[in-house]
Structure formats: structure tokens, C-alpha cells
Amino acid sequence: LKKICDWSQLSEETFYDKMKNNNFMCGTGRVDGYSGNGSGGSTATTSLPVPVDVSQAIPDRIYKLKDDPWRSFGALVRKVKNDRCPPNNSKCMRGYLRECKDDGQMTAFFEFRWAYFLNDAYLRGCKDRQTSYWDDESDCKKFEDAFKTLLVKDIGRSIVEQDVKGWKSAAKLLVPLCRGDKAQEYVLPKTLGSPMGGEKLPGSVHGEDTHIEQEDPKCAPP
């Protein structure tokens, strides 16, 4: 860890304002319930993240932190390996490219943006072709089945008991969604506020068979 600033002298309200304004913490979350393991109902399967009071979003104990499966998928889908890729670029068919901005900085909350899209696509389902974000209904159903199996299997289990291979396999099924037509034109709702609201998904790659010829670059902090 590297300390880049000391705000210990600030009031709690000012501290969280500076955290949010400097993109050190995301300003969205779940209003109630939980997102992954634990008790209280899985809101990640029924709702989208919304802007929250960041001063209230961090619990007083680490074990109370809420898991969000879509944030996990947002990370896993960009690390998917494929046998059709060359040995020196095994992730060439991953979901998207985590590229830098024109100024060399990382896009703030890159994976959170993709997580929101994945969450939105899941809630829209597979059957209605007017509202579904998937190009192919069968691809959508394959992911739905895998995700539901994971929810039943892993609810209430500790992190060391999670079916990691199962989550990685499910993430691979999200690649067609990330590389589909809807992802190319998707715009995050303006209601999410800065820095995500009203912006398109960063690093999108069109076409399931399109190779990403480079590794994710190292970007400067946002």
C-alpha cells in the first residue's frame, strides 16, 4: 500500500466528500439487503445499484461489507482465457479491453461500469427481443442457468468455499454479451452522477471472434 494523502484531520462529512470527489470510492450501491453471500435477500438479482450516501455505505466491520456478483463478473470477464488464443496472449477473446484514457489515466471505476451493464442485461432477461441486450437468446439462457446454479450453491458459504471455477466459467458465458451490439451503444444512466453517469462503456470490443491483440495497459490513477 502507498499513502498518497492524509485526511485524518477532516470531519467525517468532509472526508467522504473528498473521497467521492477524488474518485477514491464509488458513489453507488444497494439500498438494502445484500448482493451476494449472507442473509437478507439478494437484491443483485432484482435491482440495479443507485447513488447512495457514501458516509453510510461503509459498515463498521469488514465482514459486513456487501458482495456484488456483478462487480465480480465485471472483473472476471476481462480475464477470460480461450484456447483459440495464442500462448503469449491467452486472453485475446476476453470481454473487453481495459484501456487508458487519452491523458494516460485509468477510467474511474472501469469495472463498476461494466458491472452495471451486466446487471441491467440480466434484469432484462432473454425472451423479449425488444428489450434484451443479448444478440442470441440461447447465449443468454446458458448464462442464466449457470448463474442461478451458482446462487443456489454458494449462498451462505464463506469466500473460501465458493465455486471459483464455476464463477469463472459463468463469466466466460458473458463474453458474447460484452461483445454484442447493445454493449457498443450502451450509455450509463445520467442518474448515476459523476464520473459514470451519461457515459458509454469503456474499452468495448465488437464481435465475438475479434481478437484483442494487446494486454491491458498500465494506466495512471484517475
Side-chain angles (χ1 to χ4, degrees):
L1 297 178
K2 179 182 178 181
K3 185 172 75 173
I4 58 176
C5 52
D6 184 353
W7 291 338
S8 58
Q9 78 284 2
L10 300 177
S11 68
E12 185 173 301
E13 181 179 0
T14 304
F15 170 78
Y16 283 113
D17 283 343
K18 289 182 75 68
M19 289 285 287
K20 178 68 168 59
N21 293 336
N22 284 274
N23 293 327
F24 290 162
M25 65 184 301
C26 186
T28 62
R30 307 285 173 182
V31 176
D32 52 27
Y34 74 94
S35 299
N37 296 335
S39 60
S42 183
T43 60
T45 60
T46 58
S47 65
L48 289 164
V50 295
V52 296
D53 180 352
V54 293
S55 67
Q56 302 297 317
I58 300 179
D60 58 357
R61 295 290 186 273
I62 290 178
Y63 73 86
K64 294 181 181 180
L65 285 170
K66 300 173 183 177
D67 179 39
D68 192 317
W70 304 111
R71 173 63 183 79
S72 299
F73 279 133
L76 290 172
V77 75
R78 74 173 185 84
K79 300 173 183 177
V80 166
K81 295 182 179 181
N82 194 300
D83 292 338
R84 291 186 289 166
C85 296
N88 63 343
N89 187 17
S90 62
K91 302 173 185 175
C92 75
M93 306 292 284
R94 61 192 184 275
Y96 59 86
L97 171 67
R98 194 179 69 177
E99 60 189 2
C100 306
K101 297 193 297 183
D102 292 339
D103 60 4
Q105 290 188 339
M106 180 186 299
T107 299
F109 308 113
F110 204 110
E111 292 171 355
F112 283 81
R113 300 170 189 240
W114 279 94
Y116 188 95
F117 168 70
L118 299 176
N119 193 167
D120 193 4
Y122 176 77
L123 295 179
R124 290 174 178 271
C126 306
K127 293 183 179 180
D128 190 337
R129 303 315 301 157
Q130 298 299 314
T131 58
S132 177
Y133 286 162
W134 291 78
D135 292 348
D136 189 296
E137 183 179 347
S138 63
D139 287 337
C140 179
K141 289 181 177 179
K142 287 177 185 177
F143 171 75
E144 276 196 350
D145 291 342
F147 182 46
K148 289 175 181 177
T149 298
L150 288 170
L151 289 178
V152 172
K153 182 190 302 182
D154 284 348
I155 282 180
R157 299 176 74 185
S158 69
I159 192 168
V160 296
E161 297 175 307
Q162 297 287 313
D163 180 8
V164 177
K165 288 185 178 180
W167 286 94
K168 288 182 177 180
S169 296
K172 191 171 185 178
L173 298 175
L174 286 168
V175 171
L177 171 63
C178 294
R179 289 167 166 254
D181 293 341
K182 292 294 184 182
Q184 313 309 307
E185 58 190 41
Y186 188 79
V187 177
L188 292 156
K190 291 183 178 180
T191 53
L192 293 177
S194 178
M196 298 189 295
E199 295 196 2
K200 298 184 72 173
L201 294 171
S204 60
V205 177
H206 194 213
E208 192 174 348
D209 296 322
T210 302
H211 283 213
I212 301 176
E213 302 297 342
Q214 65 186 94
E215 295 290 334
D216 286 345
K218 293 184 178 180
C219 310

